Amino acid sequence: MDSLHEEDNNPFSGSDHIFADGIGSVLGDQEQNSSNNINDGFNHPYHRVDRLIPNLESSATIFGDSSDNSKHSYHYSDPNNGVDRYSSSVLNSPQNQTAYDVDKSYNHDSQTEFSQRGIRYSFNEADSEQLLANTLDAKTAIPSDGSAPNIDELPNSHNAFPNDHQENTDHEDDEYEEDEDYYPNNENQNSKYANQTDHLSLRPVAVGLNSPITITEALQTKDPTGHKVVLYTINYHSVQIRRRYSEFDSFRNSLKKLFPTVIIPPIPEKHSMISYFFNPISAKSDTKIIEKRKRLLTGFLRYCFNISQIKNSVVWKYFLTPSMSWSDIISSPPISILPQTNILAPPLDPVKPSPLHLLLPIPHSSTINSFRPREQDLESDEKFKELQQIFQIYRSQTHAMEKSSKKQKKHFKSLVRDLGELGAFYNAFSLEDNYDLATGIERTGQAIDVNFINSEAFSFKILTLSQEPLFEFNQFSNEALGVLKFRKLKEVQLYIIDTTIKRRKQMIESLQNAQEQSDKLEEILRRNAEQSPTIAAAVKRLEQGESINKVTSPWRRIFSGNKASSNSNDIASLNEQQRKDEIEKLQKELDKLNDCLGVVLKDLKDINRAIDENIQDLLATFHQKWKEILKDFANSILIWLDDNLKAWEDAKEEIQKIEVQKPALIDNNE
Amino acid sequence: MSNNFVYEPLSTEREASQHTEEITTKASELTINRSSSTKVDIGSLYINSEVKDPQKENDGQNPYISYLIETKSNDPIFAKSEFSIRRRFSDFVFLFQLLVNDYPTSAVPPLPDKKRLEYFKGDRFGSEFTAKRTASLNRFLKRLSLHPVLKRSKIYHIFIESQDWNSYKQNLKIRSDDSGVAADGGIITDVFINAFKTANQQSKEFIAIKERSDKLDENINRIDKIFQKILKRYGDLEQDYFDFSYQIKKISQLEPELELPFIKFSDGLNSLSLGFANLKNFLDNDYLISLKDLEHYISSIKNLIKLKDQKQIDYEALSEYLNRSIGDKEALVHGGGTNFFTNKFEEMTGQNHDLNKREKIHKLENRIERLTKELENSKKVSENFEKQTLNEIQYFENIKSIELKDSLNDLADNNIKFYKDLITKWSDIQQSLG
């Protein structure tokens, strides 16, 4: 009895404990350490829900109301004129106002993202001192944009993906790549290849040929504050749009949030701070980065153009409208009204969340690998697991291959340097008095020179034909895994609700049982009390003890596990009225939970269908792209081989013409 | 003197000079009268030896490598036109030493270093080491066969032909131990005495020759160095494309529909890797060795020029001595040069001044006569040596040009093979990709 009281006095520690018990009993057959993980994982979502929805009463009323007015107040139809209506209707609900205020100020730019979130959390700090610790936890637990891929950045994210740290090592590669540039003008050396087809369409972009969208030039200029910026000119149906790299980056992040089920095409990496430090911007490295970005950003746009969800989206239209500045675009819907996290929004249209979405639990990413899907989901889960494996292999393989092709390029460049030296030396050698050998040596030098120029061009082809496409493959795989992870989180969400419903049902059942038991007991006690004063005193004490029992927030209970059922004494100690109240409350919760379940089931159905479709599209793109890479690589290598062969055959012809003079003997007849 | 076995260099010269009339205008058409008294055009005589197939053999406890020497020749001096024997490295060394002894005026083509790192590492039986050595030994024999003087050396013929080489070797060893040391000793002391002198009268021709050989040496050295780097690149690329080939193969598992193209592509990359490996091996085992061997040959030539300079220095020293003696005599004859004190001393000791003077003059005259003869001799030697050296340089230039041509040709051939093979392979891949 005493320990129970203690727990009740400290609702946080108590609820954690009971929650853990609840989960532990459900996953009783799981191994001890994995259930520990689950406890950790479920902790944060629990608090998060608690924090997001400060008290049952307010959200309960919203909940009750929303079933009536959600149809109009959360309907967001036309981005052009629906803005005002939308925000005004949203303001009706105090709960949601809080959420959307934050979302409005939520900045797409990753650098300011953190500070914005900081504001959000400081707002919460004021609520309760105890929340501070949880908030700090939540800061790391909640992905910055609510979509799954960033979960990888968590320090304690599981080793589900062994090469999660690959990004870290990439900096080094970049550095040496930069150092390797012996000949700054390798793009110019490429005239031979450039003559075949235009520079960009050589890249195997799946929809590359005859694409109406291309980045035609990069314009170096200064922004109003005097900083040097590069504007990339997009040519789209003969309309010229200028955007900066950071705007592409922001655009892409917005797309990720708007379409959590779509595998958003990659853009080139940000220039890392480390390489800035070691390689202060120079004109040379600048042009290199700009050229690379031009190629890869064109690829990005062309891929996007091929994805109907993106192509038909209003953000895409905005982005390609010259008169619209990017800052205007992000401060207007749909970007401005994006939810904090996509896990609490409908997956196909995150800007139209139902109020129920906000009540959903947020599963922790570390729980992904330890939960068991519901029986009826096993089949689809298995299918997605296979896809996940494919992309995991893809990701690690393409990463290794990208590295390998970087090495090839590096070694080819070194070879080019040496061949250049050798060719020059042979040519100089032929100029010296070498009798009859001069032309033969000279022609050998020329052959080496041809090899030099050819290999130079070929080393550039390695960059555009294998290194960059492999980078894209790698990023695509990463994105695909992110989307799959999002699906999985949604599945975990379903699982949490499902088990909570089961537990609520159990609780009601046990309460009803207890009521029956209690009725029987009371009957017996009453009979006995008439004969014994001691029993009568005990009955009295029992009645008093019940009143000490505090009713904790049912909101915590919804997802916290069955507090009452964890202690049968607790149930037994309730009086009839309290039991009735409790059952009624639980029944209410159960209704809400069932509503939530309905929402999540629909979400998951949508997600499964959409992701399956999108992944099949991606795999088809991969397939197409591989074909093109293999073909282009074979073509390039043949050009390289043919030209070199010709040069050497010329040299050989000249060498064979060499006639070595016989020695002219000096007369020895003395 | 076992004249049976050794071709004396002078006799060679004499033989050659018997036919001066025939070679005055066309020096290259050097012909000699053979013992069979049939005139053979030496220019059309060839000895083509090929060193190959190194084999590990056991001589009691000491294992060694023997090399097969296959020879084809139209020289009637050999019993057959095609023959082959096996020799070990120490046999080559022995041949080399005999040639050096017998032909002091020739730049005998050098052998590869006996002391190589492999000896200390213990893998002197490794295939890479023996392959390189085989190439060098092959080049050594080729150079001998191209050298107009050395190719007619009896010992060389025995070396490439005779099955009784070992017993010859035993006899020859004793002989070369007796006389070789003495002959060497003479040269060594001469060289030693005049080690710090330089020849005063350097002909312009030789200055140019020296510059040329220095320059050539330097160039070969540079090319060697650059190729060493390229060798490394080929090695890197070999590994890169091997890895890439493997990775592509792995990807094929993810794209079942493209499995065949992927496997073909992977195969093509593997051939590329192999091609680089072959080019690398060619450079390492053949081309670079040929450059190294050429460097060695250049240093032999340089040494010969140094020796020529010594002969000239000897001559110059002698002529200086002669001039001094003549001067002394002149002084005595005219009396002007005699010392007052010497005269006074001779008077006091009662010596007949005139007698003494006559004796001295007589002595000096004797000396001058002897020196003049010596000088003439020395002049002949020096001049002969110079001519020989110039001839040697001609031989060298010829051999060098042939070698450079051959090695360039090999280089072109190997590159052509590399590209041709890969073109076949990749054209096929390109077609299968559609």
Side-chain angles (χ1 to χ4, degrees):
Chain A
M1 265 304 201
D2 277 347
S3 66
L4 181 73
H5 280 260
E6 225 176 293
E7 279 180 353
D8 284 342
N9 286 338
N10 186 344
F12 281 94
S13 65
S15 60
D16 278 7
H17 201 92
I18 292 158
F19 173 80
D21 282 350
I23 292 290
S25 64
V26 169
L27 300 172
D29 57 341
Q30 295 258 346
E31 290 197 10
Q32 189 51 43
N33 53 352
S34 70
S35 73
N36 279 344
N37 275 335
I38 292 164
N39 292 344
D40 285 339
F42 277 60
N43 256 338
H44 306 306
Y46 166 69
H47 288 305
R48 168 105 170 96
V49 171
D50 205 17
R51 185 168 42 77
L52 197 73
I53 301 149
N55 58 71
L56 170 67
E57 280 72 35
S58 64
S59 45
T61 46
I62 295 160
F63 184 76
D65 296 344
S66 66
S67 54
D68 307 316
N69 64 6
S70 65
K71 269 173 201 150
H72 53 91
S73 69
Y74 290 98
H75 195 70
Y76 162 68
S77 56
D78 188 347
N80 293 321
N81 54 20
V83 187
D84 290 337
R85 207 182 81 202
Y86 175 82
S87 43
S88 60
S89 62
V90 154
L91 286 176
N92 291 340
S93 137
Q95 164 56 31
N96 286 322
Q97 190 192 353
T98 325
Y100 279 122
D101 267 350
V102 173
D103 288 333
K104 264 188 187 170
S105 62
Y106 186 84
N107 200 309
H108 55 97
D109 192 317
S110 64
Q111 275 198 312
T112 51
E113 199 169 276
F114 257 98
S115 60
Q116 292 293 343
R117 284 170 61 216
I119 290 166
R120 185 197 172 97
Y121 292 123
S122 61
F123 158 79
N124 281 318
E125 264 169 52
D127 278 351
S128 154
E129 214 183 296
Q130 273 169 319
L131 279 173
L132 179 61
N134 306 328
T135 307
L136 289 172
D137 278 352
K139 248 186 191 175
T140 51
I142 299 164
S144 58
D145 57 2
S147 69
N150 289 1
I151 285 160
D152 284 359
E153 290 158 16
L154 288 178
N156 63 344
S157 81
H158 283 221
N159 37 6
F161 307 111
N163 52 349
D164 268 347
H165 301 292
Q166 64 192 43
E167 278 77 16
N168 299 341
T169 54
D170 273 349
H171 299 315
E172 294 162 25
D173 290 346
D174 276 346
E175 274 162 48
Y176 83 62
E177 188 190 334
E178 239 74 76
D179 289 341
E180 276 311 311
D181 283 319
Y182 188 76
Y183 300 99
N185 55 339
N186 42 4
E187 266 86 354
N188 305 339
Q189 302 262 3
N190 216 17
S191 52
K192 179 188 300 293
Y193 294 87
N195 284 341
Q196 292 184 305
T197 20
D198 87 273
H199 197 57
L200 281 159
S201 60
L202 257 187
R203 286 185 65 262
V205 173
V207 287
L209 299 169
N210 306 322
S211 174
I213 191 158
T214 307
I215 292 177
T216 48
E217 62 168 335
L219 198 75
Q220 296 207 39
T221 176
K222 283 187 175 170
D223 70 1
T225 57
H227 285 97
K228 213 174 89 180
V229 291
V230 180
L231 293 174
Y232 297 90
T233 308
I234 306 161
N235 194 319
Y236 178 56
H237 291 305
S238 310
V239 178
Q240 312 254 310
I241 309 103
R242 293 212 164 100
R243 297 282 180 221
R244 300 175 53 174
Y245 171 79
S246 61
E247 289 166 355
F248 273 95
D249 191 37
S250 170
F251 173 52
R252 185 171 178 276
N253 277 330
S254 306
L255 288 177
K256 272 169 86 166
K257 285 175 206 153
L258 278 168
F259 306 106
T261 61
V262 174
I263 300 138
I264 308 296
I267 60 166
E269 295 152 306
K270 284 195 179 98
H271 202 72
S272 76
M273 287 311 281
I274 300 167
S275 52
Y276 259 122
F277 184 74
F278 286 111
N279 270 311
I281 285 294
S282 65
K284 194 180 93 185
S285 67
D286 249 8
T287 19
K288 251 206 69 179
I289 293 166
I290 290 168
E291 280 306 312
K292 182 180 180 175
R293 285 183 173 175
K294 251 172 78 178
R295 288 191 299 273
L296 289 173
L297 290 176
T298 300
F300 166 73
L301 291 173
R302 287 179 182 176
Y303 283 123
C304 285
F305 187 74
N306 221 24
I307 296 170
S308 56
Q309 291 100 315
I310 298 176
K311 194 187 164 190
N312 298 327
S313 77
V314 65
V315 179
W316 169 260
K317 278 169 198 140
Y318 288 168
F319 190 74
L320 295 173
T321 305
S323 57
M324 289 195 79
S325 86
W326 182 246
S327 55
D328 288 346
I329 299 172
I330 53 166
S331 55
S332 59
I335 296 176
S336 62
I337 52 165
L338 276 167
Q340 172 74 10
T341 161
N342 274 326
I343 206 82
L344 300 184
L348 298 186
D349 204 352
V351 289
K352 293 178 209 164
S354 73
L356 275 173
H357 272 110
L358 297 167
L359 299 179
L360 298 177
I362 300 182
H364 193 273
S365 63
S366 62
T367 56
I368 273 187
N369 296 304
S370 45
F371 94 105
R372 281 185 311 168
R374 306 183 314 160
E375 284 294 318
Q376 59 265 47
D377 296 331
L378 273 174
E379 200 184 319
S380 68
D381 193 69
E382 204 51 46
K383 191 179 81 186
F384 284 109
K385 217 175 234 165
E386 271 170 33
L387 288 173
Q388 191 190 358
Q389 273 166 0
I390 288 180
F391 284 107
Q392 273 169 357
I393 301 171
Y394 247 125
R395 183 166 66 173
S396 64
Q397 278 300 309
T398 49
H399 182 65
M401 289 168 82
E402 195 198 338
K403 274 195 153 176
S404 169
S405 70
K406 263 185 190 169
K407 261 197 204 164
Q408 288 166 33
K409 195 184 74 185
K410 182 189 159 199
H411 290 146
F412 246 104
K413 281 193 168 177
S414 307
L415 178 67
V416 163
R417 199 179 333 180
D418 297 337
L419 285 176
E421 200 185 339
L422 189 67
F425 201 78
Y426 263 106
N427 289 336
F429 188 34
S430 74
L431 293 179
E432 282 159 23
D433 183 23
N434 269 300
Y435 298 116
D436 12 84
L437 290 171
T439 3
I441 293 175
E442 193 195 349
R443 205 48 72 88
T444 309
Q446 281 169 4
I448 293 167
D449 280 347
V450 171
N451 277 11
F452 154 73
I453 292 163
N454 256 325
S455 303
E456 172 91 64
F458 187 66
S459 81
F460 180 72
K461 296 299 289 181
I462 295 174
L463 173 74
T464 54
L465 271 179
S466 85
Q467 191 182 325
E468 285 174 4
L470 284 166
F471 166 78
E472 288 176 340
F473 273 120
N474 183 253
Q475 295 295 303
F476 264 125
S477 308
N478 208 29
E479 285 301 311
L481 286 170
V483 168
L484 286 169
K485 203 162 190 173
F486 172 69
R487 192 201 77 85
K488 202 107 195 221
L489 278 174
K490 211 66 190 172
E491 214 174 24
V492 177
Q493 193 177 45
L494 174 70
Y495 168 81
I496 294 171
I497 294 168
D498 192 48
T499 42
T500 312
I501 286 171
K502 279 180 190 149
R503 230 179 288 127
R504 285 291 173 278
K505 281 181 180 160
Q506 263 177 19
M507 254 166 82
I508 290 170
E509 214 171 285
S510 62
L511 275 169
Q512 280 163 348
N513 282 343
Q515 187 59 45
E516 279 171 33
Q517 293 261 317
S518 158
D519 286 349
K520 275 185 204 161
L521 184 71
E522 236 165 78
E523 179 67 27
I524 295 161
L525 279 176
R526 205 178 302 123
R527 242 185 282 140
N528 292 350
E530 286 161 10
Q531 296 155 13
S532 161
T534 319
I535 292 171
V539 170
K540 207 176 182 184
R541 222 175 30 245
L542 208 84
E543 280 163 2
Q544 280 171 348
E546 276 171 1
S547 63
I548 298 166
N549 246 336
K550 264 169 77 181
V551 178
T552 48
S553 160
W555 277 112
R556 198 179 307 135
R557 292 165 127 190
I558 285 184
F559 300 115
S560 70
N562 196 333
K563 184 188 163 196
S565 68
S566 70
N567 192 328
S568 58
N569 284 339
D570 200 21
I571 292 173
S573 64
L574 294 169
N575 64 28
E576 200 180 331
Q577 186 52 45
Q578 283 169 321
R579 277 198 197 100
K580 260 189 188 162
D581 290 352
E582 191 71 22
I583 289 172
E584 204 177 305
K585 235 178 261 170
L586 284 170
Q587 200 56 56
K588 250 190 181 172
E589 282 178 18
L590 205 56
D591 290 346
K592 273 177 254 161
L593 280 166
N594 277 323
D595 289 347
C596 287
L597 186 73
V599 167
V600 176
L601 274 174
K602 187 191 174 294
D603 281 0
L604 200 61
K605 209 179 132 202
D606 289 348
I607 288 175
N608 283 351
R609 192 180 36 77
I611 290 184
D612 190 41
E613 251 175 56
N614 293 336
I615 278 187
Q616 292 313 325
D617 283 354
L618 179 66
L619 286 174
T621 309
F622 272 21
H623 185 80
Q624 185 60 27
K625 199 169 169 182
W626 271 123
K627 269 189 182 164
E628 285 171 40
I629 289 178
L630 296 187
K631 222 156 116 187
D632 281 1
F633 202 99
N635 290 345
S636 298
I637 210 168
L638 275 169
I639 292 173
W640 179 67
L641 293 169
D642 275 334
D643 285 3
N644 286 349
L645 177 67
K646 251 174 251 150
W648 275 108
E649 277 174 344
D650 286 355
K652 161 121 183 160
E653 202 180 309
E654 205 58 45
I655 290 164
Q656 281 186 325
K657 278 190 208 152
I658 294 175
E659 278 200 26
V660 177
Q661 281 175 22
K662 296 222 168 113
L665 287 185
I666 287 149
D667 184 11
N668 265 326
N669 190 22
E670 298 278 333
Chain B
M1 270 280 212
S2 39
N3 262 326
N4 286 338
F5 308 136
V6 184
Y7 236 90
E8 288 297 327
L10 275 178
S11 65
T12 318
E13 281 164 28
R14 240 178 276 123
E15 247 183 289
S17 57
Q18 282 167 8
H19 304 274
T20 333
E21 311 89 72
E22 291 164 42
I23 55 167
T24 38
T25 44
K26 272 209 160 188
S28 56
E29 295 294 308
L30 189 68
T31 58
I32 59 161
N33 214 344
R34 292 259 149 197
S35 48
S36 59
S37 75
T38 51
K39 270 194 182 174
V40 183
D41 184 4
I42 284 192
S44 69
L45 283 185
Y46 65 85
I47 305 172
N48 287 337
S49 296
E50 197 187 346
V51 182
K52 56 186 189 187
D53 189 23
Q55 243 175 43
K56 197 173 167 180
E57 289 187 32
N58 242 309
D59 164 28
Q61 286 118 328
N62 300 321
Y64 64 92
I65 303 283
S66 77
Y67 302 87
L68 184 70
I69 303 170
E70 276 183 1
T71 308
K72 287 179 188 168
S73 175
N74 61 355
D75 197 324
I77 205 159
F78 298 112
K80 290 181 192 165
S81 61
E82 284 181 35
F83 43 91
S84 65
I85 37 87
R86 277 197 167 269
R87 297 280 180 256
R88 54 184 292 187
F89 185 67
S90 60
D91 297 330
F92 281 90
V93 173
F94 188 69
L95 170 67
F96 172 77
Q97 278 167 349
L98 282 185
L99 290 173
V100 168
N101 280 344
D102 291 349
Y103 299 89
T105 58
S106 287
V108 180
L111 282 171
D113 296 339
K114 180 153 186 155
K115 278 175 197 162
R116 287 191 57 147
L117 208 60
E118 281 83 355
Y119 267 84
F120 302 104
K121 287 196 298 195
D123 53 354
R124 68 190 167 107
F125 299 117
S127 60
E128 203 190 312
F129 172 71
T130 50
K132 287 180 182 176
R133 181 162 266 184
T134 307
S136 279
L137 293 176
N138 189 49
R139 194 161 295 108
F140 170 71
L141 287 188
K142 172 134 202 206
R143 283 169 177 176
L144 285 184
S145 75
L146 289 170
H147 195 289
V149 177
L150 297 176
K151 81 176 198 181
R152 277 180 281 130
S153 144
K154 188 77 193 161
I155 188 75
Y156 162 57
H157 296 157
I158 293 166
F159 178 81
I160 56 171
E161 186 184 29
S162 175
Q163 298 293 334
D164 303 323
W165 165 258
N166 282 336
S167 58
Y168 282 127
K169 197 172 147 190
Q170 286 306 319
N171 289 327
L172 288 170
K173 220 169 215 166
I174 297 155
R175 192 202 67 88
S176 67
D177 282 352
D178 293 343
S179 58
V181 171
D184 276 355
I187 294 166
I188 285 166
T189 40
D190 275 0
V191 172
F192 181 74
I193 289 165
N194 297 318
F196 301 106
K197 287 186 181 169
T198 47
N200 291 325
Q201 288 183 313
Q202 294 269 41
S203 66
K204 271 185 190 165
E205 196 178 4
F206 269 99
I207 293 171
I209 286 169
K210 270 180 203 162
E211 275 175 5
R212 266 174 58 81
S213 59
D214 281 349
K215 192 86 200 162
L216 182 66
D217 203 12
E218 196 185 294
N219 282 337
I220 299 289
N221 215 314
R222 277 282 301 277
I223 290 177
D224 183 33
K225 270 188 188 141
I226 304 170
F227 264 116
Q228 292 285 2
K229 284 196 276 180
I230 288 178
L231 192 72
K232 205 189 152 283
R233 308 295 171 223
Y234 284 161
D236 287 341
L237 288 170
E238 177 198 347
Q239 186 61 44
D240 289 347
Y241 283 104
F242 180 78
D243 292 347
F244 203 51
S245 159
Y246 178 73
Q247 287 162 341
I248 287 280
K249 210 172 216 163
K250 263 191 134 177
I251 282 284
S252 74
Q253 295 161 7
L254 297 173
E255 293 280 343
E257 278 175 60
L258 290 174
E259 196 176 353
L260 200 68
F262 265 118
I263 284 174
K264 277 206 155 187
F265 194 83
S266 160
D267 201 30
L269 290 172
N270 202 38
S271 318
L272 186 60
S273 169
L274 276 176
F276 277 123
N278 288 339
L279 264 189
K280 188 190 97 179
N281 284 339
F282 161 72
L283 283 182
D284 196 19
N285 292 338
D286 290 286
Y287 195 71
L288 286 178
I289 292 292
S290 81
L291 292 181
K292 269 262 147 27
D293 287 346
L294 194 55
E295 280 179 58
H296 281 148
Y297 205 2
I298 295 169
S299 57
S300 294
I301 284 292
K302 281 181 173 173
N303 283 338
L304 187 70
I305 295 172
K306 238 178 234 162
L307 205 60
K308 185 230 70 155
D309 285 351
Q310 293 305 337
K311 299 287 174 203
Q312 199 182 330
I313 289 162
D314 287 350
Y315 166 72
E316 281 167 7
L318 260 178
S319 76
E320 198 190 314
Y321 191 35
L322 176 66
N323 286 338
R324 216 167 45 226
S325 301
I326 291 169
D328 284 355
K329 195 196 104 182
E330 291 291 305
L332 275 177
V333 170
H334 300 293
T338 43
N339 195 307
F340 172 77
F341 289 105
T342 322
N343 292 344
K344 265 282 178 264
F345 177 74
E346 279 168 356
E347 265 174 46
M348 281 166 71
T349 51
Q351 285 179 32
N352 187 330
H353 180 70
D354 283 342
L355 192 73
N356 263 340
K357 194 178 175 179
R358 263 202 305 279
E359 261 178 39
K360 270 183 189 170
I361 289 171
H362 182 67
K363 260 187 198 165
L364 277 170
E365 275 173 347
N366 274 348
R367 192 197 280 165
I368 287 165
E369 195 186 341
R370 220 175 62 237
L371 278 173
T372 314
K373 265 188 193 160
E374 282 273 341
L375 191 67
E376 250 171 55
N377 200 22
S378 171
K379 195 183 175 195
K380 239 185 210 164
V381 170
S382 175
E383 277 174 1
N384 255 336
F385 208 101
E386 190 172 314
K387 269 179 201 156
Q388 270 300 312
T389 308
L390 285 174
N391 274 344
E392 279 300 322
I393 287 161
Q394 294 279 337
Y395 304 153
F396 166 77
E397 288 285 354
N398 175 252
I399 294 172
K400 178 208 80 181
S401 294
I402 291 172
E403 265 181 27
L404 276 177
K405 181 189 171 180
D406 285 354
S407 69
L408 285 179
N409 199 47
D410 282 355
L411 184 67
D413 276 348
N414 274 277
N415 272 292
I416 287 169
K417 187 179 173 344
F418 172 80
Y419 293 113
K420 255 199 180 141
D421 288 357
L422 285 170
I423 284 171
T424 320
K425 192 100 202 172
W426 281 92
S427 300
D428 188 38
I429 293 167
Q430 192 187 36
Q431 276 190 344
S432 74
L433 290 170

